Amino acid sequence: MFGDAVGRIMAAVGKLVRALVYLALILPAVIVVATSFTSGDAMRFPPTGFSLRWYYAFWESSLFIDSLTLSLKVAALATVLSLLFGFAAAFAIERHDFSGRELMRGFMLSPLLIPAVVLGLGLMQLQVWIGLSQTFLGLLIGHVVVTLPYVVRTLSAGMVLFDRNLEQAAMSLRATPATVLRTVTIPLLVPAIISAGVFAFVTSFGNVSLSVFLGAGGNVTLPVQVLAYVEQTVDPLVAAVSSVVIVFTLVAILIADRISGPKSII
Amino acid sequence: MKSSAAEPEGGKKYWLPLLAPASLTLLVFLLIPAGIVLRISFYPGSTTIGAEGYSLAQYGKFFGDSLYLSVLGETISYALIVCLGCLVLGFPVGYSLARHPPAKRRLRMLMVIVPLTLSLVVVVFGWLVLLGRHGLVNNLLVALGIVSSPQQLLFNRTAVVIVLIQQFLPFMILSVMNVVMQIDPVLEQASTSLRANRARTFFKVIIPLSTPGILAGLSLIFVMAVSAFVTPRLVGGPRAQMVGGFIYDQILSTSNWPFGAAMAFILLAVGFGLMAVLNATIIRPLTRGLHVR
């Protein structure tokens, strides 16, 4: 029948589209890693030969290594701060019924909707006024702002799924609220905390849109350095640098996936 | 609706200080900066140093120049095309992910999440390699005899749109997946058992029920796409510019912060304007009549 034919065509087209989408999603990263091992001087695919010379060039380049160190430092600190701030906020929002609770939830997620150019320019001007311009602290604050919404969202979701009876049981056994928090609540939320932390880390580690404004002058993170470099030239050195970024991101995501499953990361 | 029985005895407002660090951070380093951008955009001159007074000079400059207006138009059309592309390509993927058994979903989820979390510059760099003169796409086209010599595939509108779609696709996929997971498969089975064919079930049952997720994804993608600047800068070249790139130049190269601020605010208004319209015309009426859990 006609309808069945349409259905079958839809199924086939759907399958093709899905295959193409998955391919397009991972192809850029796969190509970058593949070309980073080239022994030639030019970016071409398929690459010529196999060597680690561009990784060696990366290791020798203090420009990129300094940026990598800075990026790791900012990402680690931003993760810790936004986990602390985000856990407290998510706990208050999920556990207490107060007026303006939904407003507060929306406020916590609002950095997702402010374009980086707006946030970047506003923070630059504010930091000039309060003397944080082009400082490490200024950059770190920006990263906390952009990672906070992910942390609050993931932790909130984790707290909603949480079995409150376990806390009640602990309470009824005369555990103090602090003991309950330390021995029941937090341990049970470990998967959500890890997911939130990993997402905050990779978001900060990869951020370019905001860092490009806040890092102008001295604090150049790795993605900003890559951007500046790619604007001049496209060569296998950037492929090697990018591959390192890919590996860091992938490892972080795989850790979260192992511990708490892929669904919980988002 | 959480019962107040969950409150500890006495119901002390001990949760208030818990909210303080996060909300103060956002207040001081998000809301105030946004307000500052608005304020700066009303400065009359081309610098913020020692500037005072209010003037519409920056907005006049933007809306009085056909170049800026055409770039704004282009930017909005890019964003709309990107939204459409993400919807058409992302929906089938999000839907199938939601209906996959969890065990088979794992690898696919990773393929969606990793590009989402990977640094934007790395992804764009990957596209520069893919679409470059000696890249995979050109080599394939030549090998298949479709073109006789490598073509310039970069630095045009199509390239910008393709790369933006790939960047934002995961948002649409996850958004659709989340909403479809809440649709009971029983509804689809019911539709099929009532002899509706697959196409009819799709358009009459699945699409209407997943509209909230689709719209959430679309508005997020639109807001992000209008303000994109890294991608158009690297992939678009001088011929395919977006407002975001102009702002970036005004702030970091020309140091004309007031004009950059006015453009940034125009972008913000365009993005939020569309969201408000969507919300008032489609989302609210739709979610009002619909009580899906």
Side-chain angles (χ1 to χ4, degrees), chain A residues 130-246:
Chain A
I130 61 177
L132 282 179
S133 179
Q134 297 181 8
T135 59
F136 177 78
L137 185 59
L139 181 68
L140 178 63
I141 289 170
H143 278 232
V144 172
V145 170
V146 291
T147 52
L148 202 52
Y150 296 107
V151 170
V152 172
R153 197 170 59 179
T154 309
L155 290 178
S156 284
M159 287 176 194
V160 169
L161 298 173
F162 187 93
D163 187 357
R164 295 289 294 276
N165 290 331
L166 295 166
E167 284 175 343
Q168 306 285 353
M171 294 275 212
S172 71
L173 294 169
R174 297 184 175 271
T176 62
T179 313
V180 175
L181 187 70
R182 192 167 46 80
T183 58
V184 179
T185 314
I186 291 181
L188 281 173
L189 282 172
V190 160
I193 294 171
I194 289 174
S195 293
V198 162
F199 209 82
F201 185 87
V202 292
T203 303
S204 162
F205 184 67
N207 181 286
V208 60
S209 317
L210 185 63
S211 307
V212 81
F213 295 104
L214 302 181
N219 295 299
V220 184
T221 59
L222 194 60
V224 177
Q225 194 66 265
V226 170
L227 175 67
Y229 197 89
V230 172
E231 284 196 300
Q232 313 294 323
T233 174
V234 172
D235 73 12
L237 174 57
V238 188
V241 178
S242 299
S243 300
V244 171
V245 175
I246 293 171

Side-chain angles (χ1 to χ4, degrees), chain B residues 196-208:
Chain B
N197 59 44
R198 200 183 167 109
R200 207 176 148 75
T201 306
F202 183 76
F203 287 107
K204 295 282 179 192
V205 178
I206 300 168
I207 292 274

Side-chain angles (χ1 to χ4, degrees), chain B residues 213-238:
Chain B
I214 292 173
L215 291 174
L218 282 181
S219 47
L220 185 62
I221 291 169
F222 184 83
V223 170
M224 291 188 296
V226 278
S227 57
F229 66 93
V230 174
T231 305
R233 232 180 131 73
L234 292 179
V235 181

Side-chain angles (χ1 to χ4, degrees), chain A residues 3 18 24-25 28 32 43 45 85 88 94 98 107 110 115 118 122 124-125 141 164 199 206 230-231 257 263, chain B residues 2 6 15 18 25-26 29-30 37 48 96 106 115 117 119 126-129 134 139 166 178 197 233 257 268:
Chain A
R18 293 202 300 269
L25 283 177
V32 167
M43 289 302 299
F45 196 88
F85 293 5
E94 292 308 325
F98 51 95
F107 184 44
S110 63
V118 175
M124 269 172 100
Q125 181 67 71
I141 289 170
R164 295 289 294 276
F199 209 82
V230 172
E231 284 196 300
D257 176 63
K263 179 74 180 71
Chain B
K2 289 224 173 82
W15 47 268
L18 288 177
T25 305
L26 293 188
F29 298 107
L30 182 81
V37 174
T48 59
S96 83
R106 199 170 199 135
T117 50
S119 182
W127 280 104
L128 291 177
V129 179
H134 302 289
N139 287 348
Q166 187 261 355
N178 280 332
N197 59 44
R233 232 180 131 73
W257 288 13
L268 193 70

Side-chain angles (χ1 to χ4, degrees), chain A residues 11-171:
Chain A
V13 170
K15 208 165 213 166
L16 184 71
V17 168
R18 293 202 300 269
L20 281 175
V21 166
Y22 285 121
L23 188 69
L25 283 177
I26 58 159
L27 205 52
V30 171
I31 293 282
V32 167
V33 176
T35 40
S36 69
F37 293 108
T38 184
S39 58
D41 291 315
M43 289 302 299
R44 45 175 75 229
F45 196 88
T48 46
F50 175 90
S51 84
L52 292 175
R53 64 178 279 210
W54 295 108
Y55 286 90
Y56 189 69
F58 174 31
W59 182 245
E60 292 285 285
S61 151
S62 59
L63 199 70
F64 281 120
I65 292 293
D66 289 351
S67 301
L68 174 64
T69 320
L70 176 71
S71 280
L72 290 172
K73 216 158 78 180
V74 174
L77 284 172
T79 302
V80 171
L81 286 176
S82 67
L83 273 181
L84 286 174
F85 293 5
F87 187 90
F91 193 80
I93 291 172
E94 292 308 325
R95 292 303 177 82
H96 301 282
D97 206 359
F98 51 95
S99 55
R101 186 168 148 216
E102 286 312 310
L103 195 72
M104 192 47 87
R105 197 195 298 272
F107 184 44
M108 291 297 151
L109 300 182
S110 63
L112 293 174
L113 290 174
I114 304 289
V117 281
V118 175
L119 184 58
L121 177 58
L123 273 176
M124 269 172 100
Q125 181 67 71
L126 176 71
Q127 296 187 350
V128 167
W129 289 340
I130 61 177
L132 282 179
S133 179
Q134 297 181 8
T135 59
F136 177 78
L137 185 59
L139 181 68
L140 178 63
I141 289 170
H143 278 232
V144 172
V145 170
V146 291
T147 52
L148 202 52
Y150 296 107
V151 170
V152 172
R153 197 170 59 179
T154 309
L155 290 178
S156 284
M159 287 176 194
V160 169
L161 298 173
F162 187 93
D163 187 357
R164 295 289 294 276
N165 290 331
L166 295 166
E167 284 175 343
Q168 306 285 353
M171 294 275 212

